[in-house]
Amino acid sequence: MKRLIYYLLLGLLVVSCEKDDSQSSADRNVVSEDGSIPFEELLILVNIKTTDSTYLVVKSVDSVSIYINNYYWTQINSQTLDTSKVDKQLVGNKYITDNKINYLIIANQDIEQPDYNTAGEFAQYLNAAYELKPGEYACLIESFQITFNDNSTKTYYPFEYTTFKVEQNLRSAFVGEIEIKID
């Protein structure tokens, strides 16, 4: 009889501890009234093609200026690549290769955060945020900078547009692969 009561109590304890959690782990990480996930970043692949149909080999593409629907989004560097493992040829002060190399850019919106001394400063901060709601957008790569082997730098202005789509409740959007031609 004691065993039966013991097993019943143990069963009740297990049943009472199991809780139907209707929220996924992603929903628990977001604090909002409507349960939506805030949009945070753009993912872009950039490759740089030279005039002789080869691709430029650099560690990173620097100071990439990105605009979304003519609103400034950010100026950021691509992720760094280990170029020692790339089959490349030296031409002048730069390396080139016949194989396409994609440089990954993870672009969060660049908003300066004031010290919030007044309500006006906080309102200015909120107004600077350009919220991307679900829909179609145009991404402009206005400019970027390349550092060559002799540590000289050159800024390019490709003004390259591409379109992308923001989906409901996604944290990021893949803009696509952008091929930029340089001389």
Side-chain angles (χ1 to χ4, degrees):
M1 184 69 170
K2 284 185 182 181
R3 280 190 182 178
L4 181 60
I5 293 174
Y6 175 74
Y7 287 125
L8 284 174
L9 288 176
L10 183 60
L12 287 173
L13 180 64
V14 170
V15 170
S16 66
C17 288
E18 289 183 359
K19 181 178 164 186
D20 181 26
D21 189 5
S22 61
Q23 291 184 330
S24 69
S25 61
D27 291 335
R28 286 192 300 259
N29 294 335
V30 177
V31 178
S32 73
E33 291 180 12
D34 63 359
S36 65
I37 298 171
F39 186 83
E40 292 182 14
E41 63 193 10
L42 301 172
L43 306 172
I44 308 169
L45 294 176
V46 173
N47 55 69
I48 302 169
K49 195 170 193 176
T50 62
T51 54
D52 61 354
S53 295
T54 58
Y55 294 91
L56 190 64
V57 179
V58 292
K59 291 184 179 183
S60 72
V61 180
D62 302 323
S63 303
V64 181
S65 292
I66 298 172
Y67 288 79
I68 304 300
N69 288 4
N70 291 328
Y71 289 96
Y72 174 75
W73 186 261
T74 193
Q75 184 174 30
I76 193 165
N77 298 340
S78 71
Q79 301 295 307
T80 305
L81 293 179
D82 182 4
T83 60
S84 66
K85 299 175 183 165
V86 176
D87 183 26
K88 58 190 180 286
Q89 301 89 32
L90 181 62
V91 176
N93 66 344
K94 60 186 171 190
Y95 283 114
I96 59 170
T97 185
D98 293 328
N99 304 319
K100 179 171 47 173
I101 296 177
N102 285 320
Y103 298 92
L104 173 64
I105 297 171
I106 302 172
N108 292 316
Q109 189 175 13
D110 185 17
I111 302 173
E112 247 182 67
Q113 295 186 8
D115 292 333
Y116 308 132
N117 292 327
T118 65
E121 288 177 345
F122 185 67
Q124 181 181 13
Y125 167 75
L126 291 177
N127 289 334
Y130 180 56
E131 183 180 346
L132 296 184
K133 296 181 180 181
E136 296 281 335
Y137 293 90
C139 174
L140 167 69
I141 294 185
E142 180 196 46
S143 64
F144 64 92
Q145 185 175 314
I146 297 293
T147 302
F148 297 104
N149 296 341
D150 60 358
N151 288 328
S152 64
T153 60
K154 185 171 180 183
T155 302
Y156 294 91
Y157 295 90
F159 295 101
E160 195 70 36
Y161 275 100
T162 190
T163 59
F164 67 99
K165 187 174 187 175
V166 172
E167 300 286 336
Q168 182 83 23
N169 289 328
L170 289 182
R171 188 178 148 307
S172 60
F174 178 60
V175 173
E177 183 177 316
I178 302 173
E179 183 172 275
I180 299 174
K181 295 178 181 164
I182 62 168
D183 53 3

